């Protein structure tokens, strides 16, 4: 049982001395602050990405609507070629209010 505990004994690199830097923990990096011009360029790039994604989504939506209309048109043409008659829907009852078409 003790042998298994010794095998499972996990030590970190600081206790074994195998760390690079001999015990230095976190390495700090100094970043120079960006100028206003550099920040403006980064903001314009990020805004360009956002606008590009919005245009991509809008164009794909319009493409989807176009494909749907094309399939609807194709369905009508195929039904005319095959000789099937399309069933005309009854007019909306609200549109007939005030007219005498409903009595004919």
């Amino acid at each position: 049982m003790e042998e298994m505990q010794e095998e499972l004994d996990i030590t970190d690199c600081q206790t074994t001395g195998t760390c690079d830097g001999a015990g230095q923990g976190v390495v700090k990096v100094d970043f120079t602050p960006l100028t206003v011009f550099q920040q403006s360029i980064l903001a314009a790039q990020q805004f360009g990405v956002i606008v590009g994604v919005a245009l991509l989504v809008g164009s794909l939506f319009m493409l989807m609507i176009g494909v749907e209309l094309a399939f609807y048109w194709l369905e009508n043409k195929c039904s005319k070629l095959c000789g099937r008659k399309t069933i005309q829907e009854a007019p909306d009852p609200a549109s007939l209010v005030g007219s005498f078409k409903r009595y004919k």
Side-chain angles (χ1 to χ4, degrees), residues 13-81:
C13 65
Q14 290 179 351
T15 57
T16 60
T18 59
C19 293
D20 293 333
Q24 297 175 356
V26 177
V27 178
K28 294 184 179 180
V29 178
D30 289 332
F31 290 109
T32 58
L34 298 174
T35 63
V36 174
F37 180 72
Q38 290 172 334
Q39 290 178 358
S40 299
I41 294 297
L42 287 175
Q45 287 176 347
Q46 292 171 0
F47 182 70
V49 168
I50 291 171
V51 169
V53 168
L55 288 174
L56 181 67
V57 167
S59 63
L60 288 177
F61 177 75
M62 295 304 287
L63 178 68
M64 183 178 63
I65 297 297
V67 167
E68 183 179 350
L69 290 175
F71 277 123
Y72 181 70
W73 176 81
L74 185 65
E75 178 188 8
N76 285 338
K77 290 294 179 183
C78 288
S79 66
K80 284 182 182 179
L81 285 175

Side-chain angles (χ1 to χ4, degrees), residues 82-97:
C82 293
R84 280 191 248 149
K85 294 183 180 179
T86 57
I87 300 172
Q88 294 181 353
E89 295 180 13
D92 184 29
S95 66
L96 297 176
V97 172

